[in-house]
Amino acid sequence: MERNSLKFTTLFGIALIVIGLLLELGGIFYHPGSLESAETVFTGAIAISVGHAFYGLDSLPLSLALTAISSIGIGYYVFVQTTGWLWTIIATIAFFAFIVALFQLRGSIRHRHGTW
């Protein structure tokens, strides 16, 4: 069994994902519904997305889960800022679609669908 050494970009991606998840969880429980909470969750969502880009996941379910978590974080931020469900839903779907297109997850889904 050959062991691959970890690259700097991989470690950086993992660190950003962990920091982003901690920020999102902490932001939700720290004064829920406040502007500070929304900004913390937004920062966590962006950190997760950047970490996802640096890490370059091969696991489709984990990749979709991280994308969904960061999209929900963006939606939470928009909800606190506007208190409107319409803009929250639009922002969440738009961010999810943007990340899916950016990381070309659609092609990965189609490729893996052929092997199911």
Side-chain angles (χ1 to χ4, degrees):
M1 220 185 267
E2 184 180 322
R3 246 184 135 167
N4 293 339
S5 61
L6 288 175
K7 297 178 184 177
F8 174 74
T9 56
T10 305
L11 289 174
F12 185 69
I14 292 170
L16 274 178
I17 290 170
V18 169
I19 289 169
L21 288 171
L22 290 174
L23 281 171
E24 280 203 4
L25 286 175
I28 288 174
F29 293 114
Y30 178 75
H31 298 291
S34 69
L35 291 177
E36 295 87 11
S37 171
E39 290 174 357
T40 304
V41 171
F42 180 81
T43 304
I46 298 301
I48 290 171
S49 298
V50 172
H52 185 196
F54 273 96
Y55 186 62
L57 292 171
D58 289 334
S59 171
L60 183 61
L62 183 57
S63 185
L64 289 174
L66 287 175
T67 304
I69 290 169
S70 60
S71 297
I72 291 170
I74 297 295
Y76 176 76
Y77 175 77
V78 171
F79 182 73
V80 169
Q81 294 292 327
T82 64
T83 63
W85 282 104
L86 177 65
W87 290 113
T88 301
I89 292 168
I90 290 171
T92 303
I93 292 171
F95 189 78
F96 187 85
F98 173 73
I99 295 298
V100 165
L102 185 68
F103 294 151
Q104 299 175 350
L105 295 177
R106 183 176 179 219
S108 178
I109 291 170
R110 286 189 175 185
H111 174 72
R112 292 180 190 238
H113 186 265
T115 60
W116 289 343

